[in-house]
Amino acid sequence: MYQFKITSIKITSKKMLYQKQLILLVLLAGVVLPASVDRVHNVEELTGKKFAKARFQTDVAEDKYTPPEEKDPQFWYDLAYEEIAKRLELSQPNAKRAKNIILFLGDGMSLSTVAAARILKGQRQGKTGEESSLSFERFPHTGLSRTYCSNAQVPDSACTATAYLCGVKTNIIEIGVSAAVNFNNCTASQDPANRLTSIAEWAQNAGKSTGIVTTTTLTHASPSGAYAKTANRNWECDTDVEYYGVDSTQCVDMATQLVTQVPGKNFEVMFGGGFGKFLPSSIKDLHGKPGERSDGVNLLSRWQAQHPGGVLVSNRKQLLSVNVSSVSSIIGLFESQLMKFHLEADETYQPTLSELTEVTIKKLSQNKNGYFAFIEGGLIDYGNHYTKAGYALDEALEFEKAIQLARDMTDIEDTLIVVTSDHGHALSIAGYPGRGTPILGLNQHDTDVNGVKYSVLNYAVGPNNYLDSEGKRIDLSDQIGGDDFVFPSYIPKEQGVHSGDDVGIFASGPQSHLFSGVMQQHTIPHLMAYAACIGSGPKVCDAK
């Protein structure tokens, strides 16, 4: 599904023609493309500038303006502390300290996605749907997160991960480095002044256990915010770094950072896909696919040598068989690349997000000092990018099940759970459909100007406009309804795109009352650190 094949290219635009020419030039030059080049999160689209050189430029995003003062990480720390101070001026219902923190991230989970998932949940239960609620919607405190990044009105999952995990906003497509770093600039990303620390590292420094969980790859943008420092979110393995014209011996790829550097090497739990990023191309992974590394390094062997009490699992049976009390750490790689959508997965082979969550909490909770866990429902985003709302909403429902399980497994008196999203998607629910109208169906109570019924859900941008030869919308009555249906869009483009609207924050547990109102996204980790008395900023433990 995600493997790129030259033979499958169809030229549908000047952009695709350019991409094909570039790929053919690279192939003729004898350079091997990474096996999992991300065609959804496209570099040209995110940076706003096409590449015209075989060796990629380091200043491609300069035409996206970054305010000079925002290049200093201290600017964002000061702004976050101001937001915390304003909240502390209000009446404080309690002074409880969070022993444990769980951050649940619904990638691409816009508020419209939340509302549509809520309705689908109820309709699956035989109800009209609108009256239903998701588990995290019942949390006592809610707020809104402002998702823009330093040079981006509409962000990606890299700069946002830097915000909600490192507490600093940065440029689009970058992770764990300040906005002083331009895209793909290896030298600037190595400058200590530009490198950031994450809440995972703050937690480790306080003696807490840490773990990351995702349904994408362990080296994908969102989980990488917990450990990586990179000028390009696509530098997932050494082959990727070289593909972007950078010396991989000078700029360490994200998979290597995860296994060999702090804080990644200290994680006790790492669950996700992306097996290939950790193995050389001469070795097949446990799913039968060859590795992606060109340097010949087997990072999993290196990880095992560093963690003699650790265990590697690759499927559901192995995961559920682990005795968490008898192992020091667990790494689970459940697919060669992205994990499969829940609707497409073999339930006997691929674990659910709830199962990953359960094992994570059981393992991390063994530490008497507590823990920090990052748990991502990463394929909500992919469902929306494909404009397959049925997939996106199903992933959101799997996400909310995991959150309910986590709340049930933990003590609300000592465990802070925060649920949010990195960015929205341009999905709408519109047209005055009647109560109980199938959320994945047609609006039976309205038509367009030509008398044609239209779908309840629509995307602003996407691959299928459903127009006839005269540019009029076609009747979708005999097409709509399946989970994999590609929903209509207005602006034609190969994939759906992110949106710049605010996303929700839902909180439960110690200091959860602070997660209310409208806040900058980068304030989130500082608030969590405040609640848990970790990091270098203000702490509830210091409050008089």
Side-chain angles (χ1 to χ4, degrees):
M1 182 175 180
Y2 308 103
Q3 184 79 21
F4 182 76
K5 298 179 180 179
I6 295 295
T7 55
S8 67
I9 291 182
K10 294 181 180 179
I11 301 174
T12 59
S13 66
K14 290 183 178 179
K15 178 176 180 179
M16 292 189 74
L17 175 60
Y18 167 80
Q19 290 174 335
K20 181 179 180 183
Q21 290 172 336
L22 175 60
I23 292 164
L24 290 176
L25 285 172
V26 171
L27 289 176
L28 288 172
V31 179
V32 178
L33 284 173
S36 59
V37 170
D38 194 335
R39 299 298 167 187
V40 170
H41 305 97
N42 183 276
V43 168
E44 293 178 10
E45 184 175 62
L46 295 176
T47 59
K49 188 172 182 178
K50 287 186 177 181
F51 295 115
K53 299 179 181 179
R55 298 291 285 183
F56 289 83
Q57 303 174 58
T58 60
D59 61 347
V60 294
E62 283 191 338
D63 55 330
K64 285 190 172 182
Y65 172 71
T66 301
E69 65 275 13
E70 295 185 10
K71 295 180 180 182
D72 183 356
Q74 192 60 44
F75 172 88
W76 298 107
Y77 271 65
D78 292 344
L79 183 57
Y81 296 160
E82 287 176 14
E83 290 201 332
I84 293 175
K86 289 178 182 178
R87 284 165 170 76
L88 294 180
E89 290 174 357
L90 304 174
S91 176
Q92 301 300 303
N94 66 71
K96 294 177 182 177
R97 174 181 179 175
K99 176 183 177 182
N100 312 309
I101 309 169
I102 306 176
L103 175 58
F104 277 96
L105 193 284
D107 198 309
M109 191 178 70
S110 60
L111 288 174
S112 58
T113 301
V114 171
R118 170 202 313 151
I119 294 171
L120 179 61
K121 178 182 179 180
Q123 291 181 347
R124 285 180 172 181
Q125 296 170 341
K127 305 173 184 177
T128 53
E130 296 82 3
E131 71 286 353
S132 297
S133 61
L134 304 178
S135 59
F136 54 87
E137 291 183 299
R138 296 190 290 272
F139 281 9
H141 301 286
T142 59
L144 292 172
S145 168
R146 301 171 64 182
T147 62
Y148 72 90
C149 288
S150 289
N151 68 342
Q153 190 173 77
V154 176
D156 76 327
S157 295
C159 60
T160 51
T162 306
Y164 63 74
L165 286 167
C166 300
V168 174
K169 291 201 177 195
T170 191
N171 294 326
I172 197 165
I173 216 168
E174 298 176 2
I175 302 171
V177 294
S178 75
V181 179
N182 290 329
F183 166 72
N184 222 51
N185 191 318
C186 176
T187 302
S189 70
Q190 300 302 303
D191 186 339
N194 298 332
R195 293 166 73 84
L196 308 173
T197 58
S198 75
I199 189 171
E201 187 167 347
W202 308 343
Q204 289 178 7
N205 291 339
K208 296 182 183 294
S209 294
T210 51
I212 56 173
V213 178
T214 179
T215 49
T216 61
T217 65
L218 287 179
T219 50
H220 216 260
S222 301
S224 296
Y227 66 87
K229 298 167 179 57
T230 179
N232 184 343
R233 61 177 283 175
N234 295 317
W235 290 350
E236 296 186 55
C237 72
D238 69 304
T239 306
D240 303 323
V241 178
E242 296 288 344
Y243 171 67
Y244 284 96
V246 174
D247 185 347
S248 60
T249 64
Q250 298 298 313
C251 258
V252 179
D253 64 88
M254 288 144 65
T256 300
Q257 289 186 48
L258 178 58
V259 170
T260 66
Q261 297 183 3
V262 173
K265 69 178 184 179
N266 295 326
F267 289 155
E268 293 182 18
V269 172
M270 296 180 283
F271 291 155
F275 212 134
K277 301 298 183 183
F278 298 87
L279 294 179
S281 56
S282 58
I283 298 177
K284 285 189 176 181
D285 66 26
L286 296 178
H287 306 291
K289 302 288 181 61
E292 298 181 35
R293 303 191 65 83
S294 303
D295 58 8
V297 175
N298 185 331
L299 286 175
L300 296 179
S301 294
R302 183 173 295 182
W303 179 84
Q304 190 70 70
Q306 296 171 346
H307 303 83
V311 62
L312 165 67
V313 296
S314 61
N315 58 53
R316 180 176 184 269
K317 181 179 179 180
Q318 292 174 356
L319 173 74
L320 300 183
S321 298
V322 173
N323 180 351
V324 296
S325 299
S326 64
V327 298
S328 63
S329 48
I330 317 170
I331 182 169
L333 291 163
F334 303 102
E335 267 295 337
S336 301
Q337 296 175 20
L338 300 176
M339 290 178 66
K340 288 183 169 60
F341 284 111
H342 171 250
L343 288 172
E344 294 182 348
D346 178 349
E347 62 183 15
T348 67
Y349 187 78
Q350 178 173 294
T352 65
L353 186 58
S354 292
E355 290 168 337
L356 296 174
T357 298
E358 181 175 5
V359 175
T360 297
I361 293 175
K362 285 181 177 178
K363 175 57 188 170
L364 298 183
S365 61
Q366 294 179 313
N367 188 336
K368 61 181 177 59
N369 294 320
Y371 59 85
F372 168 78
F374 171 80
I375 303 175
E376 181 192 23
L379 297 181
I380 301 170
D381 179 62
Y382 276 80
N384 277 327
H385 272 297
Y386 298 151
T387 64
K388 293 185 177 182
Y391 277 28
L393 302 189
D394 182 75
E395 291 295 321
L397 293 182
E398 287 300 299
F399 182 62
E400 72 106 18
K401 290 176 186 176
I403 295 166
Q404 183 62 63
L405 176 66
R407 189 70 283 175
D408 291 342
M409 289 182 67
T410 56
D411 187 344
I412 198 171
E413 296 296 316
D414 69 7
T415 303
L416 171 64
I417 298 180
V418 178
V419 180
T420 189
S421 178
D422 48 355
H423 56 75
H425 261 277
L427 171 68
S428 67
I429 311 172
Y432 315 110
R435 182 73 179 268
T437 298
I439 192 67
L440 297 176
L442 290 179
N443 179 358
Q444 299 296 327
H445 299 90
D446 195 18
T447 64
D448 66 10
V449 294
N450 296 311
V452 179
K453 292 178 181 178
Y454 54 90
S455 57
V456 176
L457 300 178
N458 292 274
Y459 289 86
V461 178
N464 206 328
N465 308 125
Y466 295 105
L467 304 177
D468 63 19
S469 59
E470 297 179 352
K472 296 180 179 179
R473 293 181 51 257
I474 64 174
D475 186 350
L476 297 175
S477 299
D478 61 346
Q479 297 186 50
I480 200 168
D483 288 320
D484 61 349
F485 176 72
V486 175
F487 275 77
S489 53
Y490 164 60
I491 300 170
K493 198 172 177 67
E494 292 86 354
Q495 303 283 353
V497 297
H498 300 170
S499 62
D501 42 313
D502 296 350
V503 296
I505 309 173
F506 310 83
S508 171
Q511 303 302 311
S512 59
H513 61 278
L514 298 176
F515 294 85
S516 60
V518 180
M519 71 179 70
Q520 293 284 3
Q521 188 173 52
H522 79 281
T523 300
I524 292 174
H526 295 289
L527 282 175
M528 293 189 294
Y530 173 87
C533 298
I534 61 177
S536 59
K539 303 174 179 64
V540 68
C541 304
D542 300 332
K544 296 181 180 179

